[in-house]
Amino acid sequence: MDNEADTFYRELPKVELHAHLNGSVSFQTIEKLIRRKPQLNIEHSMTAIGKGQRRTLDECVKHHCKTNYKSKNNPVCFQVFKVIHQLVDSEEDIFMVATDVIKEFAADGVKYLELRSTPREETATGLTKRRYIETVIKAIQQCKKERVDIDVRFLVAIDRRNGSQVAMETVQLAEEFFLSSDGLVIGIDLSGDPTVGHGRDLLSALQRAKNSGLKLSLHLSEVPSQHDETDLLLDIPPDRIGHGTFLHPEMGGSQGLVDKVVQKNIPLELCLTSNVKGQTVQCYAEHHFKYWYHMGHPIVICTDDKGVFATDLSQEYKMVATTFGLSREAVWKLSQQAIDYIFAPVSVKEQLKQKWRNLQPQEFK
Ligand code: 5GP
C-alpha cells in the first residue's frame, strides 16, 4: 500500500474483532519460527495461501461471478493450521507470535483488537492449556507496558472437533481467567472445521459460558447445510456471529434464520478475503456483505487469518469500499460503528469513541 488512498485506509482507526492468533502470524514471524525449527522442513508455501491464488481471485469482477454458486464443503484448508501449530508449540513461541501479531495490528491502525486462540497442550515442550492462556495474557500486558497504541482483549477458543468434554473444560478455564485477568479475557469463540461435529453437543458448554458472563462469538453457517445447528445456537443467543455466509435464503439459508438474527440484533463479523480465498464465496462482489449492509444490520469488517490469507484490515476496508462503491465517509462510519459491537465494557467504548472523534477528518464532522 503506498498511494494516497492506501494512506487513508492505513490511517483510518479500526476495530478488529475476528482474528485467530495462529492464523494471523505474518511472513516475517513465520520466517523467525522456521529458523528456530529447521528440522521441521517447513516452507512458507505451507503456511499461507500464495500470491498467485490471490491474484486470480482479485481478477474476479462482478460480471464474472456465477449466481447460485455452491461452495465447496470445507471453507479453509485446515491443514495449514496444523503446520503452523508445529511451528508454534512452546510458551516462547506463543509469546513471540502474540506480541508480533499485536504490534502488526497496531501498525495497521487497529486501535482495539479481540484476539482469539485455542489453548493447546504440547507434551514435548511442557506447554499446558493454562500456561497457553497465561502466555497470551503476558504478551498483551507486555505490549501495554511498551505503550503500543492498541487495546487488546482475548477470547478463548473452543475447537468444535474436540467435542463436548473439551468444550466444557475450556469454558471452565476461561471462567477462571475471566475473573482473574483484569478484564483481558472476556469471551469464548467457537471455531474449528465446521464440517466436523454438531453444535448440539456443545450447547451446554456454551450456555454455561453465557451464564457466567463470558461473551460468545460463534462461527455459524460458515458452510451450507448447517441450518438446524445455526437455528439451535441462535437461541442461546450468541453476542456475535462469525461469517454467517449461508444464513440468508439466497445462499441456501432461510428467511427464518435471517429473522432471528435481525430480531436479536446479533452483529456479524465479515471476513471477505478469507471467504474468497477459502472458496465459500465465489468472489468479492458476491460477498454477503452486500446483503447485510443494505439491510442496515450491524456488521464488522475483519481479517480472520491475516497471515494465512496474506491480508490486513486496511486492505479489507479498501476492498469493501472499491467492490461495493462506499464513499470515504461511509467507510469511516463503518469503522466507527464497530465500536458498538466490541465485548469490552461501556467505559472502553466511550474511550474509543473519543479517540475516533479526535482523529476524524474535518469533512466528515
Ligand atoms: P489458533 O486457535 O490456533 O490461534 O488459530 C487457528 C485455529 O483457528 C484453527 O485451528 C481453527 O480451529 C480456527 N480457525 C481459523 N480460521 C478459521 C476459519 O476461517 N473458520 C473456522 N471455523 N475456524 C478457523
Side-chain angles (χ1 to χ4, degrees), residues 18-24 75-76 78 81-82 84-85 116-120 132 157-161 189-194 219 222 243 274-275 304-305 309:
H18 189 132
H20 298 271
L21 178 60
N22 285 297
S24 301
V76 185
F78 283 90
F81 298 114
K82 286 196 183 135
I84 299 171
H85 286 161
R116 52 185 76 188
S117 194
T118 326
R120 264 180 297 136
Y132 189 105
I158 294 173
D159 185 334
R160 51 186 293 145
R161 283 169 292 196
D189 155 63
L190 172 65
S191 54
D193 189 341
H219 284 62
E222 194 182 358
H243 303 296
S274 161
N275 297 155
D304 203 5
D305 298 291
F309 297 117

Side-chain angles (χ1 to χ4, degrees), residues 165-235:
Q165 198 189 330
V166 172
M168 191 57 92
E169 287 163 10
T170 307
V171 167
Q172 284 164 355
L173 201 52
E175 281 171 356
E176 283 182 41
F177 284 99
F178 180 55
L179 297 174
S180 65
S181 64
D182 205 15
L184 294 185
V185 172
I186 46 173
I188 290 285
D189 155 63
L190 172 65
S191 54
D193 189 341
T195 62
V196 180
H198 195 287
R200 81 172 82 81
D201 302 325
L202 311 168
L203 189 60
S204 48
L206 296 172
Q207 267 163 340
R208 176 179 168 146
K210 180 98 186 172
N211 293 338
S212 310
L214 285 156
K215 299 284 188 184
L216 292 185
S217 169
L218 310 182
H219 284 62
L220 291 183
S221 287
E222 194 182 358
V223 290
S225 320
Q226 284 190 310
H227 188 282
D228 293 352
E229 174 183 288
T230 300
D231 197 39
L232 181 74
L233 297 182
L234 280 176
D235 286 336

Side-chain angles (χ1 to χ4, degrees), residues 45-302:
S45 58
M46 297 155 81
T47 65
I49 312 258
K51 276 194 179 133
Q53 227 170 331
R54 179 179 50 174
R55 200 176 313 125
T56 312
L57 292 164
D58 277 353
E59 278 162 10
C60 173
V61 289
K62 197 171 188 245
H63 59 275
H64 287 140
C65 297
K66 294 185 200 104
T67 45
N68 299 324
Y69 174 70
K70 290 274 178 276
S71 106
K72 295 196 172 127
N73 266 337
N74 206 328
V76 185
C77 179
F78 283 90
Q79 296 303 324
V80 172
F81 298 114
K82 286 196 183 135
V83 177
I84 299 171
H85 286 161
Q86 278 182 280
L87 284 171
V88 185
D89 70 346
S90 67
E91 283 176 37
E92 207 186 344
D93 297 335
I94 294 159
F95 184 77
M96 180 179 81
V97 161
T99 46
D100 281 5
V101 166
I102 292 169
K103 288 176 185 176
E104 287 155 4
F105 273 114
D108 188 36
V110 174
K111 303 296 179 198
Y112 176 91
L113 163 67
E114 286 176 16
L115 262 185
R116 52 185 76 188
S117 194
T118 326
R120 264 180 297 136
E121 52 196 14
E122 298 281 353
T123 33
T125 62
L127 180 67
T128 64
K129 292 184 180 182
R130 184 180 297 277
R131 288 298 294 158
Y132 189 105
I133 299 175
E134 282 168 356
T135 307
V136 176
I137 292 173
K138 211 171 87 186
I140 296 173
Q141 288 166 337
Q142 177 63 29
C143 291
K144 224 177 197 170
K145 219 166 92 190
E146 291 178 27
R147 298 190 170 279
V148 182
D149 183 19
I150 187 168
D151 185 331
V152 187
R153 310 289 164 139
F154 186 44
L155 310 183
V156 181
I158 294 173
D159 185 334
R160 51 186 293 145
R161 283 169 292 196
N162 296 331
S164 58
Q165 198 189 330
V166 172
M168 191 57 92
E169 287 163 10
T170 307
V171 167
Q172 284 164 355
L173 201 52
E175 281 171 356
E176 283 182 41
F177 284 99
F178 180 55
L179 297 174
S180 65
S181 64
D182 205 15
L184 294 185
V185 172
I186 46 173
I188 290 285
D189 155 63
L190 172 65
S191 54
D193 189 341
T195 62
V196 180
H198 195 287
R200 81 172 82 81
D201 302 325
L202 311 168
L203 189 60
S204 48
L206 296 172
Q207 267 163 340
R208 176 179 168 146
K210 180 98 186 172
N211 293 338
S212 310
L214 285 156
K215 299 284 188 184
L216 292 185
S217 169
L218 310 182
H219 284 62
L220 291 183
S221 287
E222 194 182 358
V223 290
S225 320
Q226 284 190 310
H227 188 282
D228 293 352
E229 174 183 288
T230 300
D231 197 39
L232 181 74
L233 297 182
L234 280 176
D235 286 336
I236 300 177
D239 299 283
R240 289 197 311 255
I241 293 169
H243 303 296
T245 316
F246 296 91
L247 282 170
H248 58 286
E250 289 164 31
M251 287 295 275
S254 74
Q255 194 55 44
L257 288 182
V258 171
D259 290 346
K260 248 188 200 182
V261 173
V262 171
Q263 271 159 22
K264 293 171 196 272
N265 202 31
I266 310 173
L268 265 76
E269 303 156 354
L270 302 180
C271 314
L272 278 80
T273 297
S274 161
N275 297 155
V276 170
K277 286 196 172 181
Q279 300 183 29
T280 51
V281 172
Q282 171 84 340
C283 63
Y284 287 100
E286 291 279 301
H287 196 274
H288 48 296
F289 169 89
K290 192 170 60 180
Y291 181 90
W292 295 96
Y293 183 72
H294 287 132
M295 201 193 276
H297 188 79
I299 47 174
V300 191
I301 304 300
C302 303

